[in-house]
């Protein structure tokens, strides 16, 4: 069963057409993943897209660190499409494939840099407790400042929401690709 069917171009409302055009003209280049489902609520899709554009393309964190955090979130939520898509982004940003594979297996990643270790501990604690200790918070602030800490928290929350949309919508990995998570 397709839970959120793709809305054919001819069947889109004026607001849906505008949202599609906005998303397609931005850095994503098109509507896919969670936006197929979110387009059923066009104002929500618009707002999610704007927040996501900031968090994915304009946050204060190094791209490799941001993608690393997204993978941790995707794994914690068992979001197949999210992990599949961001594993490629993480590899392209320079994240070691052994680290990506370990996250997929729910194992502590090998050979983390001090920054990756701080982000891993912060994100894992945030997912488990929905809060972080003073020590883990301070490690992130020492590395990235308060803006970086805020960006990391928002990135984790945003991709948790995206994972929920993808999971409820049952968005699969592309045809011919193996789901990366068990």
């Amino acid at each position: 069963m397709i839970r959120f069917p793709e809305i054919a171009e001819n069947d889109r409302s004026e607001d849906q057409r505008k949202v599609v055009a906005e998303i397609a003209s931005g850095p994503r280049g098109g509507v896919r993943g969670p936006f197929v489902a979110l387009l059923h609520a066009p104002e929500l899709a618009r707002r999610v897209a704007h927040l996501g554009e900031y968090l994915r393309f304009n946050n204060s964190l190094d791209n490799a660190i941001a993608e690393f955090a997204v993978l941790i979130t995707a794994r914690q939520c068992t979001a197949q499409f999210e992990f599949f898509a961001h594993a490629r982004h993480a590899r392209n940003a320079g994240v070691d494939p052994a680290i990506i594979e370990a996250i997929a297996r729910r194992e502590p990643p090998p050979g983390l840099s001090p920054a990756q270790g701080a982000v891993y501990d912060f994100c894992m604690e945030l997912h488990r407790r929905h809060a972080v200790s003073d020590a883990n918070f301070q490690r992130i602030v020492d590395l990235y400042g308060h803006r970086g800490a805020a960006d990391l928290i928002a990135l984790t929350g945003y991709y948790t929401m995206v994972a929920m949309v993808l999971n409820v919508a049952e968005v699969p990995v592309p045809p011919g690709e193996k789901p990366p998570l068990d």
Side-chain angles (χ1 to χ4, degrees), residues 22-47:
E22 286 175 30
I23 293 171
S25 68
R28 286 183 185 88
V31 174
R32 62 187 156 279
F35 294 101
V36 172
L38 294 173
L39 192 57
H40 288 268
E43 185 58 27
L44 176 61
R46 176 180 286 113
R47 291 172 186 245

Side-chain angles (χ1 to χ4, degrees), residues 12-173:
R12 293 178 187 150
S13 69
E14 182 61 29
D15 201 27
Q16 288 168 327
R17 281 192 285 279
K18 286 179 184 176
V19 171
V20 168
E22 286 175 30
I23 293 171
S25 68
R28 286 183 185 88
V31 174
R32 62 187 156 279
F35 294 101
V36 172
L38 294 173
L39 192 57
H40 288 268
E43 185 58 27
L44 176 61
R46 176 180 286 113
R47 291 172 186 245
V48 169
H50 285 292
L51 177 59
E53 187 174 319
Y54 168 77
L55 290 169
R56 177 144 180 245
F57 302 105
N58 299 302
N59 75 74
S60 64
L61 303 170
D62 173 82
N63 191 40
I65 287 294
E67 291 296 340
F68 177 64
V70 173
L71 290 180
I72 294 166
T73 298
R75 173 66 270 189
Q76 291 302 301
C77 297
T78 313
Q80 297 287 357
F81 183 88
E82 186 171 77
F83 197 95
F84 173 83
H86 286 276
R88 180 173 37 95
H89 297 315
R91 280 190 300 276
N92 290 342
V95 177
D96 185 336
I99 290 172
I100 296 168
E101 291 166 19
I103 293 169
R105 292 189 307 267
R106 291 192 189 268
E107 296 172 0
L112 296 180
S113 69
Q116 289 171 320
V119 169
Y120 182 80
D121 292 346
F122 184 96
C123 290
M124 292 299 290
E125 185 178 14
L126 185 55
H127 283 291
R128 287 185 189 126
R129 293 188 336 117
H130 308 290
V132 294
S133 66
D134 289 342
N136 279 333
F137 179 78
Q138 194 58 52
R139 286 171 69 197
I140 294 300
V141 169
D142 288 347
L143 286 165
Y144 303 110
H146 284 93
R147 178 180 174 196
D151 282 345
L152 184 57
I153 296 162
L155 186 79
T156 301
Y158 173 81
Y159 279 100
T160 298
M161 178 198 61
V162 168
M164 290 178 180
V165 171
L166 293 167
N167 287 348
V168 171
E170 297 179 339
V171 175
V173 298

